[in-house]
Amino acid sequence: GQVSDNCFHAICEDLSGFMWIGTENGLNRYDGYNFHQFFHDDNDSLSLLSNYVRSLYIDADGTLWIGTNRGLQYLRSSEKSFHTVPFPGSRSPYIEKISQFSDGKIWIAARGNGIFWVDPKDPVQANSVVSVNTFSTAQRVFRTLLEDQEGTIWLGSTTGILLYDPKTDKITEFRPDMLDHDITGINKDE
């Protein structure tokens, strides 16, 4: 077989060496020889939430986290079913970015909904980072997030960058005089 769509949004490798590819038409797992495809099925609550897969992340335990345009799911390496993580207010947000930070939590940038975290050991719900989500203006759409070596979380949005210190719950705008643009990615060097 081949990949289900040629418009890729995310690629990652799991701990077993499988390559996972998120597309606009399904999730694909490549074993080095063949593609196995996963799709949304209206009659199966354990299938993908949506065929539009925007982000992927493999956490420290090997769990695959899947961000779609209709919410967040995870797939444990020992299982065959996708599990949906509920968001406050029964929202089904468009997931832009997923990462695991030094606190062990899975952090999520959800378009138009804010920043959330999930406990990967007990992923019963997404938890709002209230101070960030209430600080933000209505026009701010978070697209990316990154933790630096001091534990500060950099949040890229459509209106620039916010710095969030989870230890003090303090938020500051980073260089608003220069960076009032759409920030779609943040990387750190060594």
Side-chain angles (χ1 to χ4, degrees), residues 77-89:
S77 58
S78 61
E79 298 177 356
K80 303 246 188 268
S81 301
F82 296 94
H83 303 279
T84 301
V85 178
F87 278 73

Side-chain angles (χ1 to χ4, degrees), residues 12 18 42 61 74 104 107 111-112 123 125 168 182:
C12 67
F18 292 117
D42 284 335
D61 294 326
Y74 63 93
W107 287 71
R111 181 187 289 182
Q125 74 173 21
T168 63
D182 190 0

Side-chain angles (χ1 to χ4, degrees), residues 2 16 27 32 35 50 73 78 97 115 119 125 171 173:
Q2 59 188 25
S16 299
L27 177 64
F35 286 96
S50 167
Q73 291 183 293
S78 61
K97 180 78 174 174
I115 303 297
D119 178 352
Q125 74 173 21
I171 302 160
E173 290 190 77

Side-chain angles (χ1 to χ4, degrees), residues 38-57:
F38 302 88
F39 297 102
H40 170 71
D41 179 349
D42 284 335
N43 298 315
D44 183 358
S45 65
L46 297 176
S47 72
L48 279 179
L49 280 171
S50 167
N51 287 332
Y52 194 105
V53 177
R54 177 71 176 130
S55 53
L56 297 171
Y57 187 82

Side-chain angles (χ1 to χ4, degrees), residues 165-182:
D165 183 341
K167 292 179 225 87
T168 63
D169 206 31
K170 183 179 177 198
I171 302 160
T172 55
E173 290 190 77
F174 178 76
R175 301 296 304 263
D177 57 321
M178 293 178 59
L179 291 173
D180 63 346
H181 303 291
D182 190 0

Side-chain angles (χ1 to χ4, degrees), residues 15 28 65 67 95 105 110 122 140 158 161 169 175 183:
L15 301 179
N28 300 264
W65 294 85
I95 307 300
K105 297 173 184 170
D122 188 25
R140 190 180 306 270
T158 52
I161 296 175
D169 206 31
R175 301 296 304 263
I183 308 297

Side-chain angles (χ1 to χ4, degrees), residues 86-93:
F87 278 73
S90 300
R91 292 181 228 159
S92 300

